[in-house]
């Protein structure tokens, strides 16, 4: 790597560090690109070489945060003795981060779902795909260990439902301002999703046998 690339990488890290701190302290809507540029000691035009918009900058910051949280969750899930505990080991740290920076997480959620196409939105969506696939694999592993029948299709559906439940729980916090109750409800719904996946599979098999 040449000097120019080294300097560019160092500037990017400084931008992400400052942006992360300002977003965490003040919230997305109160932070300006000018305030970020000033703290990094670069021109606003230079900042836009790294992130075209403030929303893109948030995607960059939160992709890094959630990537770290998810990786730690995957590791913690390996040591759990039930499917529910394993899934919660992955979901709860992400929920806790989200409640600490709720405004930022809701903007991040909106940008992933409805934002303009781009490199960092694609990275975030791929990360969610990996998260859902890991939950699905975890459910299949525990089903096999417990001699339960669970199809790949039903495991995938359950994983998508669990992530959707997680997303809705964050929206509910914004309405109720009661994160503890929302977390308890999230756990109940995840438990129901896991139980329902194996039950649906058993019912499907029963229908096939009756035919």
């Amino acid at each position: 790597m040449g000097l120019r690339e080294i300097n560019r990488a160092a500037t990017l890290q400084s931008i992400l560090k400052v942006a992360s701190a300002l977003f965490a302290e003040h919230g997305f809507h109160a932070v300006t690109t000018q305030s970020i540029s000033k703290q990094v000691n670069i021109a606003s035009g230079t900042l836009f070489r790294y992130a075209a918009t403030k929303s893109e900058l948030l995607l960059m910051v939160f992709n890094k945060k959630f990537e770290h949280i998810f990786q730690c969750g995957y590791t913690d899930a390996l040591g759990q003795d039930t499917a529910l505990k394993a899934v919660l080991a992955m979901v709860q740290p992400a929920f806790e981060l989200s409640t600490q920076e709720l405004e930022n997480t809701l903007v991040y959620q909106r940008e992933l779902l409805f934002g303009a196409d781009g490199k960092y939105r694609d990275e975030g969506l791929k990360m969610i795909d990996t998260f859902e696939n890991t939950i699905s694999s975890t459910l299949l592993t525990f089903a096999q260990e417990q001699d339960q029948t669970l199809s790949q299709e039903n495991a995938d559906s359950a994983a998508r439902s669990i992530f959707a439940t997680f997303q809705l729980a964050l929206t509910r916090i914004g309405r109720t301002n009661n994160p503890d109750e929302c977390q308890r409800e999230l756990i109940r719904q995840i438990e129901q999703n896991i139980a329902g996946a194996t039950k649906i599979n058993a019912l499907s098999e029963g229908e096939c046998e009756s035919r």
Side-chain angles (χ1 to χ4, degrees):
M1 183 183 290
L3 181 60
R4 183 175 181 180
E5 288 76 16
I6 292 173
N7 289 338
R8 181 176 174 81
T11 300
L12 176 59
Q13 289 307 309
S14 296
I15 291 170
L16 294 178
K17 183 178 179 180
V18 168
S20 179
L22 289 177
F23 286 146
E25 182 178 357
H26 303 291
F28 175 81
H29 296 294
V31 175
T32 65
T33 53
Q34 290 84 357
S35 63
I36 296 170
S37 300
K38 183 177 181 180
Q39 286 207 23
V40 181
N41 197 27
I42 59 174
S44 295
T46 302
L47 175 64
F48 291 127
R49 295 176 191 169
Y50 294 85
T53 64
K54 186 172 71 167
S55 295
E56 187 172 86
L57 189 55
L58 183 78
L59 285 170
M60 295 166 69
V61 167
F62 268 71
N63 281 350
K64 292 289 185 184
K65 288 192 176 190
F66 276 104
E67 180 182 29
H68 174 71
I69 287 290
F70 288 158
Q71 288 297 333
C72 291
Y74 301 154
T75 301
D76 290 344
L78 296 174
Q80 305 303 320
D81 58 2
T82 68
L84 176 61
K85 289 180 182 178
V87 171
L88 291 178
M90 291 183 269
V91 173
Q92 283 190 297
F95 183 84
E96 289 166 5
L97 168 64
S98 300
T99 56
Q100 290 167 9
E101 296 192 46
L102 184 61
E103 176 189 333
N104 299 330
T105 303
L106 292 177
V107 175
Y108 178 66
Q109 181 185 76
R110 183 193 70 203
E111 289 300 318
L112 287 179
L113 292 172
F114 308 112
D117 291 339
K119 174 183 176 182
Y120 301 107
R121 179 172 182 259
D122 289 345
E123 286 181 358
L125 292 173
K126 287 177 182 177
M127 185 169 56
I128 290 172
D129 285 343
T130 300
F131 186 61
E132 291 180 346
N133 290 338
T134 305
I135 291 175
S136 177
S137 298
T138 299
L139 297 180
L140 286 168
T141 297
F142 276 98
Q144 291 168 0
E145 290 177 355
Q146 297 168 10
D147 294 323
Q148 296 175 327
T149 303
L150 179 62
S151 69
Q152 182 72 60
E153 181 181 11
N154 285 339
D156 290 345
S157 293
R160 287 192 293 270
S161 295
I162 287 168
F163 186 75
T165 299
F166 164 73
Q167 299 276 59
L168 288 172
L170 299 181
T171 304
R172 194 175 296 116
I173 293 173
R175 296 200 317 269
T176 65
N177 197 29
N178 190 342
D180 291 339
E181 176 55 33
C182 290
Q183 185 174 32
R184 288 191 290 270
E185 178 63 21
L186 173 63
I187 293 171
R188 286 193 292 269
Q189 292 187 15
I190 290 175
E191 187 173 17
Q192 290 169 4
N193 270 307
I194 294 172
T198 52
K199 186 174 182 179
I200 289 171
N201 215 101
L203 289 173
S204 299
E205 286 189 341
E207 288 177 1
C208 290
E209 289 175 1
S210 65
R211 292 174 187 170

